[in-house]
Amino acid sequence: GNSVTQMEGPVTLSEEAFLTINCTYTATGYPSLFWYVQYPGEGLQLLLKATKADDKGSNKGFEATYRKETTSFHLEKGSVQVSDSAVYFCALYTSGTYKYIFGTGTRLKVLA
Amino acid sequence: NAGVMQNPRHLVRRRGQEARLRCSPMKGHSHVYWYRQLPEEGLKFMVYLQKENIIDESGMPKERFSAEFPKEGPSILRIQQVVRGDSAAYFCASSPLQARTDEKLFFGSGTQLSVL
């Protein structure tokens, strides 16, 4: 079945450091890929998405490229801020399955 | 345009009691999903509903759990005879009428269920 695997956290970085959170997936068909972010005490919010191979999603300085050959959708940011501290979820959706499949989440903590 | 509304925000129940979690989707959304988030785990799909129909409940435990999304009113996730293992955050999400592959989900803030 479809699945998403994320790197385990927590990830602790200093402010302005470079961030990479790895995400790989297994899916039949051609899924759409998403990164969601969950701030403390809140629900998930869409951060970015990509719907086909080689698409790059970007938002708020975060980027992720849909790599079909490596079945990956790694999240990157060049310079993190304290306000980026949150849990980040990689997810996929394939039409006909009705389900969004989420990874286990990666907690990011950014220190001033 | 109000977002997805879930209530209560926190719910405390004793073992054996019933828990009812409510979710009002965004205006114009007729697709509702329920997810459960256990401590240190990701979101696990439970059930997908459209108005008056359960489309996919493959993630729901076979016993004690039920969900509905009536023609009028919010979606309800009902847990009968709760046990400590039911303690988790329960999130509701909605999407518009025409769900497509690139359609994002809109999440509520969740209900934290604690079973004593």
Side-chain angles (χ1 to χ4, degrees):
Chain A
N2 295 349
S3 66
V4 173
T5 302
Q6 285 183 240
M7 64 185 288
E8 290 190 16
V11 174
T12 302
L13 296 173
S14 298
E15 206 166 23
E16 299 183 2
F18 184 85
L19 168 71
T20 299
I21 300 178
N22 290 338
C23 171
T24 57
Y25 68 90
T26 302
T28 55
Y30 302 95
S32 293
L33 301 174
F34 305 81
W35 277 100
Y36 280 81
V37 58
Q38 183 182 29
Y39 297 104
E42 299 183 13
L44 278 70
Q45 304 172 26
L46 179 67
L47 181 60
L48 53 84
K49 68 179 183 183
T51 58
K52 60 183 187 295
D54 300 325
D55 267 3
K56 177 186 283 188
S58 61
N59 185 26
K60 298 180 181 179
F62 291 89
E63 292 183 342
T65 300
Y66 189 140
R67 301 284 188 201
K68 189 170 174 60
E69 64 275 13
T70 55
T71 62
S72 65
F73 193 55
H74 304 322
L75 182 67
E76 296 181 336
K77 186 174 186 182
S79 176
V80 294
Q81 306 300 313
V82 172
S83 58
D84 294 327
S85 298
V87 181
Y88 292 82
F89 291 90
C90 186
L92 68 81
Y93 178 87
T94 304
S95 62
T97 66
Y98 310 115
K99 301 177 201 177
Y100 289 75
I101 306 296
F102 286 85
T104 54
T106 302
R107 184 176 300 278
L108 170 65
K109 185 173 183 179
V110 180
L111 305 176
Chain B
N1 187 15
V4 177
M5 304 300 292
Q6 287 188 251
N7 67 82
R9 190 68 189 271
H10 300 277
L11 181 60
V12 180
R13 286 288 178 266
R14 296 190 181 280
R15 282 179 295 170
Q17 291 184 320
E18 178 180 284
R20 281 182 175 245
L21 289 64
R22 294 175 183 77
C23 169
S24 295
M26 287 185 70
K27 186 176 181 180
H29 287 193
S30 60
H31 298 233
V32 167
Y33 301 76
W34 284 94
Y35 286 83
R36 176 164 63 176
Q37 184 179 31
L38 292 166
E40 305 306 319
E41 294 188 19
L43 276 76
K44 301 296 185 184
F45 168 81
M46 298 184 74
V47 61
Y48 164 47
L49 309 104
Q50 294 180 16
K51 285 281 188 182
E52 300 184 280
N53 284 305
I54 297 175
I55 306 303
D56 184 339
E57 56 181 349
S58 59
M60 288 263 280
K62 293 290 186 283
E63 298 179 352
R64 303 189 297 109
F65 285 72
S66 62
E68 63 177 8
F69 189 17
K71 186 177 180 180
E72 301 291 338
S75 175
I76 305 289
L77 179 67
R78 182 182 178 205
I79 311 172
Q80 296 178 290
Q81 299 177 325
V82 296
V83 301
R84 288 218 174 106
D86 297 333
S87 297
Y90 292 82
F91 287 96
C92 169
S94 70
S95 65
L97 178 64
Q98 298 294 334
R100 306 186 304 269
T101 57
D102 60 348
E103 197 63 70
K104 70 177 183 180
L105 295 178
F106 293 81
F107 280 84
S109 298
T111 293
Q112 181 65 51
L113 173 65
S114 298
V115 180
L116 304 179

